[in-house]
Amino acid sequence: MGTTASQLDKGMLSEYQELTFLTKQEILLAYKRFSELLPKEETNGISYRIPMNAILELPELKTNPFNERICKVFSTSDSHDGSLNFDDFLDLLSAFSDSATLEIKSHYAFRIFDFDDDGTLGRQDLEKLVNCLTGGTGDTSLTPDEMKQLIDNILEESDIDKDGTVNLSEFQHVISRSPDFVSSFKIVL
Amino acid sequence: MLLAGLVLTFEDLQTEETVSGADEEGVHVSFSQLIAEQIGEGPDGFELQQLQRALNDEDRGTRSSLRDFSRSSRPTIRGYGMEVDTTDGPESESEKKERLVNNLQNLSVGERLKMLRGMPVSVAEKKELRRLTLQKDKPPPSSSKIPCCSQLKFYIIIAARHSWYSWLSFLHSLQPWQFLFKRIGGRFGTGVLSYFQFLKTLLLFNVFLFLVTFAFLVLPQAMHPTELPVGGRNFSGLELISGAGLFTDTVMYYGYYSNSTLQKSCAREHNASASTDHDCVSERPSYNMPLELYRFLIMDFIFTLLNTLFGELLWRLFSRNVLRRSRNPAFDIARNVLDLIYAQTLAWIGVLFSPLLPAVQILKLLLLFYVKVVTSVMMNCQVPRRPYRVSQMTTIFITLLCFPSFLGASVCVTYTMWSIKPSSSCGPFRGLRTMFQAGKRWVQELEKNNPDLSVLARVHAYLVENPFFLFVGAGIFLIVIYFYSQVVDGQRKVIELLQEHIEEEGAHKKYLISKLQNMHESKKRIPRRLRSQVSLMLCSCIFSAPFRARVHAHKNQNKRFEL
């Protein structure tokens, strides 16, 4: 490990503490894990963008069925390729931390589930969501009839304005009635 | 983790003016904004506005008395276009940003930070917003205008705040097993974690008890060892289990302690009789009591270890192969906690007779912690199926520790000190009628030796020995208890009111949603399907399932356990 925690200076550390939900120890740990993913010759860790396939090697993200969507949502790169710099990485950890509010978590959950980035969860988004959970291909996936029935049920319950899609407010309304959403929407390094 | 929680609440209290449990207006505001978003879409805007007015009118009559509490609605980001799906209003991006920055400036520093944190935008944008806000802040008046003392006060306050936060984060990092707890909690749930946190609490109690007894009892005695006949005892491993042998003549047991007090010249008094272990053996209670308690403790530990290492292993193999169950047996939290409480009771009873017993207990707890972590949790790593209400269980653990356990131990000890005649040739209380008399005798000697301190002796005679003082003390104690019980009663009533409030709000929401749906359906003429509870649960499960699934997958993939 070439980089040490002392490279993160105090001013930046306190700024990150103010702007995210992470504690000082969590930020330092995040910096340590981030530096491990940097290539050896890179000295300036903060602004370097780690490509998506390297981020997905982290054990906390490897087994998550939505890992690619998570990287794409939190990435601020211009090419939308899912690469994360340190700011984005902290953003990710902050949204998934213990102390993040329900509003933040539900906002980001909505964006993660919105596969086509159109601002609402349409039928295609919901289908992809269910396929990610059940496996997509093989004998654990649903038949088209089952899928249609399931999505109809979901829309019946969450679509208030009956436009065939779930928008953010409807999504947040459904989530607010689920008691363990906040505790399961967590990634801890 | 406990301290982190405390720090967070400390900061929360600093920034929020009041705690508002049911933010009536907040709920209504957010709901009317939900309606407002729909209004933009079409001709039913007018009907929706009427609906909203109807709701407000109906509501005014039924509001509960919670309105009397002063309330601060939290700054929210609704209305700033942070949501993904708002249609582009008349404002452009830069105008929205201006408005946001202006509103941020009007908030206090704490609330501003809270709002910035709660914004679902990237860290880079937050940095930008913060920079803009600070830039636009009124520039601080030039230093020549501030009198020098308030500038100094300003710096002192900043330094104090900074050092307070550093101290808190230092304390936070001192917490033992911090990352281990996070791992256990993440993998096996908060129920199992609560057992280990209870173990840590017990460890801290024992450390405190040990420090006190060590400083005041063991250390002075160890520095002035009584002379004993040379017995030529060698250390054999058997001592650890039986407690006899080498340990009999050490500070471990009550019998070793002399009944002399330390004089300035550090010479022992003439009447301190050197006790031999032969005399002590013939005096059953002062030797055998601590010995028996020590043995109890060690036996309990050995049997717990055996049960953990072999018993659970055998049961797991049995249930796997013979009973053909597909899952490992779950970690039995209740039984383990009761074991801990039992051992702690023994330690508390024994501390009167064997002052080093807390040290034994500390070692025992440390070993037990690591053994439990590695075997019970790793091998029988079954995530418990029922949701575990951790805060209630933790309260129950502490209550069980306090009431039967600590109270019983202290009653035993008090009775022993008050009524039982201590052995006449052994230990620090020999020759007295009860152990309690040692205190009296000390005061008498003090008065005899230092006549200047006779005031203190008279104070002692009037206060401690006078039953009136005890009555007054007990009276004050009862008053304090009554006060706290009234506070708890009041809080219970507030909770009931808030629950009723939540139910009312739920009913309002239901009413509004059904009206909205009817309106949209009548517009589009879609037949209404029957609603079912199953589809609601389905939605919640679908949306929150992915991250719970991660825990199981992670556990199966990664068998290696990092401590």
Side-chain angles (χ1 to χ4, degrees):
Chain A
M1 260 191 302
T3 50
T4 60
S6 59
Q7 286 211 355
L8 196 60
D9 69 29
K10 278 199 159 170
M12 295 190 69
L13 190 60
S14 63
E15 194 179 15
Y16 284 136
Q17 263 184 292
E18 287 179 358
L19 295 178
T20 63
F21 289 103
L22 302 170
T23 64
K24 189 165 134 184
Q25 276 82 12
E26 289 170 342
I27 297 175
L28 291 173
L29 179 64
Y31 188 75
K32 182 169 143 222
R33 297 292 295 273
F34 190 78
S35 331
E36 284 167 9
L37 296 172
L38 290 174
K40 303 250 184 313
E41 61 276 0
E42 189 61 44
T43 46
N44 185 6
I46 303 283
S47 47
Y48 183 75
R49 285 196 169 278
I50 296 183
M52 186 160 76
N53 48 8
I55 298 274
L56 296 182
E57 290 299 313
L58 284 173
E60 288 84 2
L61 284 177
K62 206 166 178 171
T63 52
N64 193 314
F66 296 97
N67 43 16
E68 285 189 17
R69 275 303 298 166
I70 293 175
C71 285
K72 290 219 173 86
V73 162
F74 285 99
S75 163
T76 53
S77 79
D78 301 319
S79 50
H80 301 290
D81 58 357
S83 60
L84 302 179
N85 62 11
F86 186 60
D87 281 356
D88 300 334
F89 189 60
L90 279 187
D91 222 358
L92 196 158
L93 290 174
S94 168
F96 281 98
S97 75
D98 288 334
S99 11
T101 58
L102 178 65
E103 213 172 276
I104 284 265
K105 284 188 195 260
S106 53
H107 182 102
Y108 279 112
F110 184 78
R111 282 173 65 186
I112 290 169
F113 293 149
D114 189 9
F115 285 84
D116 48 12
D117 280 323
D118 63 352
T120 57
L121 303 182
R123 289 195 87 98
Q124 279 80 15
D125 291 327
L126 291 172
E127 266 186 45
K128 278 198 205 145
L129 172 61
V130 173
N131 279 332
C132 273
L133 289 174
T134 56
T137 53
D139 40 337
T140 51
S141 64
L142 300 178
T143 67
D145 282 338
E146 287 169 344
M147 181 69 81
K148 183 174 178 310
Q149 181 67 37
L150 177 60
I151 294 187
D152 286 343
N153 280 345
I154 295 176
L155 285 175
E156 164 70 30
E157 196 49 50
S158 27
D159 192 9
I160 297 176
D161 55 4
K162 297 291 176 228
D163 61 351
T165 64
V166 180
N167 65 17
L168 177 65
S169 321
E170 292 160 353
F171 180 77
Q172 282 177 329
H173 178 240
V174 166
I175 286 299
S176 68
R177 291 188 283 176
S178 163
D180 52 355
F181 173 74
V182 172
S183 53
S184 54
F185 197 82
K186 247 199 273 201
I187 291 179
V188 176
L189 280 185
Chain B
M1 246 166 31
L2 197 60
L3 271 176
L6 279 174
V7 169
L8 278 176
T9 48
F10 178 77
E11 284 179 327
D12 274 1
L13 286 172
Q14 276 184 330
T15 55
E16 276 177 54
E17 284 146 51
T18 49
V19 176
S20 61
D23 201 352
E24 286 179 57
E25 268 146 29
V27 171
H28 281 294
V29 159
S30 56
F31 224 85
S32 53
Q33 278 173 341
L34 171 63
I35 297 175
E37 283 165 33
Q38 311 286 338
I39 281 176
E41 286 184 28
D44 22 70
F46 182 65
E47 292 163 60
L48 285 169
Q49 278 173 345
Q50 279 206 311
L51 186 65
Q52 190 175 0
R53 246 178 269 129
L55 175 69
N56 285 338
D57 288 338
E58 182 186 315
D59 201 40
R60 251 175 262 281
T62 58
R63 281 194 196 192
S64 57
S65 57
L66 272 177
R67 225 178 356 145
D68 298 328
F69 293 144
S70 68
R71 207 177 280 116
S72 67
S73 66
R74 287 183 203 177
T76 94
I77 56 155
R78 282 184 181 275
Y80 289 117
M82 294 285 157
E83 292 91 2
V84 171
D85 61 339
T86 48
T87 53
D88 278 327
E91 288 182 327
S92 68
E93 277 293 319
S94 54
E95 280 173 13
K96 270 191 226 173
K97 212 171 192 176
E98 273 284 321
R99 197 157 60 96
L100 185 55
V101 171
N102 279 331
N103 282 323
L104 277 176
Q105 274 179 317
N106 293 336
L107 300 168
S108 70
V109 175
E111 293 205 328
R112 188 187 304 167
L113 282 179
K114 201 165 188 156
M115 193 158 156
L116 269 178
R117 257 188 228 147
M119 274 189 211
V121 292
S122 68
V123 169
E125 282 192 40
K126 284 189 207 176
K127 280 187 189 170
E128 177 70 22
L129 278 172
R130 189 167 171 261
R131 194 183 57 82
L132 284 174
T133 315
L134 287 176
Q135 223 178 41
K136 278 196 160 194
D137 259 344
K138 294 190 208 94
S142 55
S143 47
S144 59
K145 287 189 188 164
I146 304 177
C148 63
C149 16
S150 59
Q151 198 179 26
L152 190 65
K153 200 169 70 171
F154 178 70
Y155 284 132
I156 288 177
I157 290 174
I158 295 281
R161 196 160 185 252
H162 190 71
S163 54
W164 172 247
Y165 283 137
S166 326
W167 168 248
L168 277 181
S169 52
F170 169 68
L171 272 186
H172 183 74
S173 63
L174 271 188
Q175 296 269 325
W177 304 316
Q178 199 187 9
F179 283 123
L180 198 54
F181 276 177
K182 274 220 153 128
R183 283 213 131 91
I184 295 174
R187 278 202 201 174
F188 304 109
T190 41
V192 173
L193 185 62
S194 68
Y195 166 75
F196 287 104
Q197 282 174 331
F198 183 65
L199 207 159
K200 193 179 85 164
T201 319
L202 280 182
L203 190 72
L204 292 174
F205 282 161
N206 280 309
V207 164
F208 169 70
L209 193 59
F210 174 65
L211 286 175
V212 166
T213 52
F214 190 73
F216 292 110
L217 287 179
V218 178
L219 215 52
Q221 184 64 53
M223 290 202 290
H224 303 92
T226 52
E227 285 179 11
L228 287 168
V230 175
R233 292 180 198 274
N234 302 317
F235 180 74
S236 67
L238 219 54
E239 258 96 31
L240 285 174
I241 298 181
S242 71
L246 187 63
F247 281 175
T248 45
D249 301 330
T250 60
V251 285
M252 184 78 180
Y253 296 128
Y254 167 98
Y256 180 73
Y257 289 80
S258 77
N259 62 344
S260 59
T261 48
L262 283 180
Q263 302 291 319
K264 269 198 187 154
S265 54
C266 289
R268 278 193 298 277
E269 290 189 2
H270 299 297
N271 60 358
S273 52
S275 64
T276 63
D277 51 339
H278 298 298
D279 289 349
C280 273
V281 164
S282 57
E283 286 281 348
R284 276 189 63 84
S286 43
Y287 177 68
N288 283 343
M289 263 288 281
L291 186 68
E292 291 308 319
L293 281 168
Y294 176 77
R295 281 179 183 159
F296 268 136
L297 221 61
I298 294 292
M299 277 298 131
D300 176 59
F301 180 53
I302 289 175
F303 275 104
T304 314
L305 274 184
L306 283 176
N307 186 30
T308 310
L309 293 172
F310 296 117
E312 293 192 358
L313 175 69
L314 288 174
W315 175 247
R316 187 166 71 100
L317 290 173
F318 182 71
S319 80
R320 263 283 165 85
N321 301 325
V322 175
L323 297 177
R324 297 271 169 210
R325 288 198 206 144
S326 56
R327 271 185 304 266
N328 288 332
F331 184 73
D332 192 349
I333 301 171
R335 192 174 50 83
N336 284 301
V337 165
L338 284 176
D339 282 341
L340 282 179
I341 293 179
Y342 167 67
Q344 188 61 39
T345 318
L346 286 177
W348 274 331
I349 293 177
V351 86
L352 173 66
F353 291 106
S354 172
L356 279 185
L357 221 50
V360 173
Q361 181 74 351
I362 288 173
L363 289 172
K364 192 179 129 180
L365 282 176
L366 282 174
L367 269 173
L368 196 66
F369 179 81
Y370 286 109
V371 166
K372 283 284 174 191
V373 158
V374 171
T375 62
S376 282
V377 177
M378 267 187 74
M379 284 170 28
N380 306 337
C381 51
Q382 174 58 39
V383 178
R385 315 203 69 210
R386 276 177 305 163
Y388 200 79
R389 293 154 97 190
V390 171
S391 55
Q392 286 187 332
M393 291 313 286
T394 315
T395 314
I396 290 179
F397 295 162
I398 300 278
T399 314
L400 270 179
L401 187 69
C402 187
F403 282 114
S405 168
F406 183 69
L407 202 64
S410 50
V411 160
C412 281
V413 167
T414 316
Y415 177 71
T416 313
M417 287 187 70
W418 239 342
S419 321
I420 296 188
K421 185 174 179 331
S423 81
S424 50
S425 58
C426 231
F429 299 110
R430 63 195 93 141
L432 299 172
R433 198 165 50 85
T434 63
M435 296 190 196
F436 212 58
Q437 282 197 334
K440 279 192 217 172
R441 212 167 65 123
W442 178 71
V443 169
Q444 284 167 0
E445 282 188 13
L446 196 65
E447 192 178 1
K448 195 172 57 175
N449 293 334
N450 303 334
D452 308 325
L453 290 180
S454 61
V455 175
L456 202 63
R458 266 185 282 129
V459 162
H460 176 262
Y462 281 122
L463 280 186
V464 174
E465 301 192 359
N466 198 347
F468 178 67
F469 173 72
L470 289 175
F471 278 128
V472 167
I476 294 177
F477 194 55
L478 283 173
I479 289 174
V480 168
I481 291 178
Y482 175 73
F483 173 73
Y484 275 115
S485 76
Q486 289 300 304
V487 167
V488 165
D489 251 346
Q491 285 177 342
R492 220 173 270 153
K493 288 208 185 94
V494 169
I495 290 175
E496 270 172 36
L497 275 175
L498 288 177
Q499 273 178 338
E500 273 171 38
H501 211 66
I502 290 175
E503 280 168 27
E504 275 178 37
E505 296 296 334
H508 286 157
K509 254 189 175 178
K510 244 183 175 173
Y511 170 71
L512 275 179
I513 287 176
S514 57
K515 282 272 182 174
L516 267 173
Q517 281 186 316
N518 281 336
M519 217 162 301
H520 280 285
E521 272 161 14
S522 60
K523 197 175 82 170
K524 293 184 184 170
R525 275 183 238 118
I526 297 170
R528 232 181 136 207
R529 288 193 206 97
L530 284 170
R531 186 175 297 202
S532 65
Q533 283 286 24
V534 176
S535 24
L536 165 67
M537 278 177 55
L538 204 59
C539 274
S540 323
C541 283
I542 295 261
F543 290 136
S544 57
F547 299 94
R548 236 182 302 135
R550 175 195 73 83
V551 174
H552 290 280
H554 190 190
K555 176 199 70 167
N556 285 332
Q557 264 214 357
N558 200 2
K559 282 287 185 194
R560 212 171 15 102
F561 192 89
E562 296 150 40
L563 284 175

